[in-house]
Amino acid sequence: MASNPSTSSALSWTIVGRGAIGLLAAARLYHAGYSPRLWLKRPAPVELTYTGIDHQQQQMRLPSEQADRLIPRVLIPVKAYDVANAINQLAPALRPDAQLVISHNGIIPFKPLLEERHPDQGLWFLSTSQAAYKPAADQVIHTGLGQSYLAKLTAASTEDDAIITAMTAALGPLTVVSDIQPLLWQKLAVNAAINPLSALENCRNGQLASPRYQQQIKALVTEVCQVATALGYPMQPAQSVAEVYRVIAATANNFSSMQQDVAAKRPTEIHAICGYVCQQAEQLGIAVPANLQMLNRIVALATAN
Ligand code: KPL
C-alpha cells in the first residue's frame, strides 16, 4: 500500500552528519516509525547496525537526503565549531517554515544563528547526556542511558508538539524547558572538567576519579560556577563537583568526546567549553586560571598534532 504523503512528511527528519549521537537519533527515530535521512558531505545510503541499550541489534538502511526536496525538520548534532557552517550549507535546502534542532557540547552565541533565520523557521536547542559509541562507520551502540532537555529559541509554532514527540523518540527521555542557559552552564561545568583532562591524560573518564585530579577538577568547576553565577545562573561549586563525579562514575568506561577528537587528530570543542568560560570571565573581570590553562594546553596539543 502506498504511504500517505502527508503522514510520511510528518515523520520525515533529516539528521546532519554521521556522528555517534546523530546515528543514535536516526536509529531510534527509524525504530519509532519515522523516516530519517542523513545529510552527508558525500551523499550515500548508510547500512547501519544499531545496538540498543538493551543490547538488541537492528539493521537499517538510512537514505541520504535528496537534492530535489525542501527539508521540513532537521536535527543538527554537529560539533560546536561546525554549527554555523552546517546551517549555512543547509539553508538553500530548508523549507521556509523548517524546524532546526541544534545539539552540541559547550556554548556558542545563538544570536547570529537566530538573526539568519526565515521568520517562520524554528530554532531549537537540545542538550543530551545520552551516550553513544561508533565502533565502525556503519555501527552505533547506545552505551549509556541519559536524559535530554529541549528548548525552543524562537517563537512557538503549530508544529511544536510534533517536534517534542520526535525528539523524545530520538533522544528521550526528554524534558522541555523554557530557558536552556542554566542547563548549558551546568553541562559546561561537567565538560570543562572531564573533557580536557581526559584528552590530556589520554584516558577513559573513570580514571579521573583518582584523587590525583581532585584539585584540578575542583578549580575548573569552581571557576565555571563563578562565571555562571555572575551571569545570573546561580551554581554551587559543591553540587557541580558532585555532578562531575557522578558523570565520571556513570561514564567510567567511555572515552570523552574530546579524548576521541584529540586521538583522531580532529579539531576539539575546547573553544566552546573552557574558551567560552575564559571569554565570558574576561568580560566580567573574573580570573579563571584553571580554564585558561586547559584551553592553552588543548590548543597546544592540537597544534602539535
Ligand atoms: O559529554 C561528554 C563528552 O564526552 O563530551 C561527557 C559528559 C564528558 C561524557 O563523556
Side-chain angles (χ1 to χ4, degrees), residues 9-15 24-30 32-36 73-75 99 101 124 126 148 150 159-174 176:
S9 157
L11 297 176
S12 160
W13 272 84
T14 303
I15 318 289
L24 173 68
R28 288 186 54 178
L29 282 170
Y30 181 96
Y34 286 80
S35 327
R73 284 166 289 275
V74 56
L75 173 62
Q99 302 296 307
V101 182
W124 304 69
L126 185 146
S148 298
L150 182 70
E159 273 228 70
D160 288 8
D161 287 349
I163 305 298
I164 293 164
T165 305
M167 289 301 97
T168 303
L171 292 164
L174 183 96
V176 179

Side-chain angles (χ1 to χ4, degrees), residues 2-292:
S3 60
N4 174 348
S6 62
T7 309
S8 59
S9 157
L11 297 176
S12 160
W13 272 84
T14 303
I15 318 289
V16 175
R18 51 192 300 166
I21 290 292
L23 289 182
L24 173 68
R28 288 186 54 178
L29 282 170
Y30 181 96
H31 191 69
Y34 286 80
S35 327
R37 301 173 193 211
L38 302 179
W39 174 274
L40 302 172
K41 282 195 187 100
R42 270 171 250 106
V46 172
E47 304 290 342
L48 184 72
T49 304
Y50 161 57
T51 309
I53 198 82
D54 54 3
H55 305 290
Q56 295 283 332
Q57 273 199 355
Q58 194 182 352
Q59 316 281 338
M60 54 192 73
R61 184 184 175 86
L62 300 174
S64 60
E65 190 51 72
Q66 297 158 350
D68 59 350
R69 70 160 206 150
L70 289 178
I71 295 172
R73 284 166 289 275
V74 56
L75 173 62
I76 311 173
V78 302
K79 300 282 183 183
Y81 54 79
D82 246 352
V83 173
N85 188 27
I87 296 182
N88 281 343
Q89 286 184 4
L90 277 166
L94 292 174
R95 244 171 42 181
D97 61 348
Q99 302 296 307
L100 294 74
V101 182
I102 59 174
S103 180
H104 57 79
N105 272 334
I107 306 184
I108 59 168
F110 294 143
K111 209 165 160 254
L113 305 178
L114 290 167
E115 281 167 0
E116 283 161 23
R117 298 280 51 77
H118 188 284
D120 292 334
Q121 288 179 347
L123 185 67
W124 304 69
F125 190 94
L126 185 146
S127 173
T128 190
S129 58
Q130 294 286 7
Y133 174 62
K134 256 177 51 176
D138 56 358
Q139 288 174 30
V140 69
I141 305 175
H142 190 182
T143 48
L145 191 58
Q147 159 79 36
S148 298
Y149 295 91
L150 182 70
K152 190 160 197 201
L153 310 175
T154 48
S157 73
T158 49
E159 273 228 70
D160 288 8
D161 287 349
I163 305 298
I164 293 164
T165 305
M167 289 301 97
T168 303
L171 292 164
L174 183 96
T175 303
V176 179
V177 293
S178 54
D179 183 5
I180 198 77
Q181 290 297 331
L183 284 161
L184 291 184
W185 278 97
Q186 283 158 28
K187 188 151 192 279
L188 200 68
V190 171
N191 289 133
I194 299 178
N195 292 27
L197 279 175
S198 58
L200 291 166
E201 296 292 303
N202 193 20
C203 67
R204 290 179 198 267
N205 294 350
Q207 197 176 311
L208 301 180
S210 156
R212 215 150 38 105
Y213 304 108
Q214 215 174 307
Q215 283 315 312
Q216 265 174 305
I217 289 176
K218 193 172 166 211
L220 285 160
V221 172
T222 302
E223 290 175 8
V224 176
C225 290
Q226 283 169 346
V227 175
T229 302
L231 287 170
Y233 310 112
M235 281 171 60
Q236 302 294 333
Q239 271 175 20
S240 297
V241 169
E243 174 62 8
V244 169
Y245 282 102
R246 191 197 63 74
V247 175
I248 286 174
T251 61
N253 283 325
N254 295 4
F255 287 106
S256 77
S257 55
M258 197 172 287
Q259 185 282 340
Q260 293 181 52
D261 288 339
V262 168
K265 300 193 192 319
R266 291 188 296 253
T268 73
E269 290 179 299
I270 195 69
H271 292 285
I273 302 176
C274 299
Y276 190 77
V277 177
C278 293
Q279 187 211 328
Q280 294 295 309
E282 195 182 343
Q283 285 173 19
L284 293 160
I286 298 174
V288 287
N291 277 273
L292 186 59

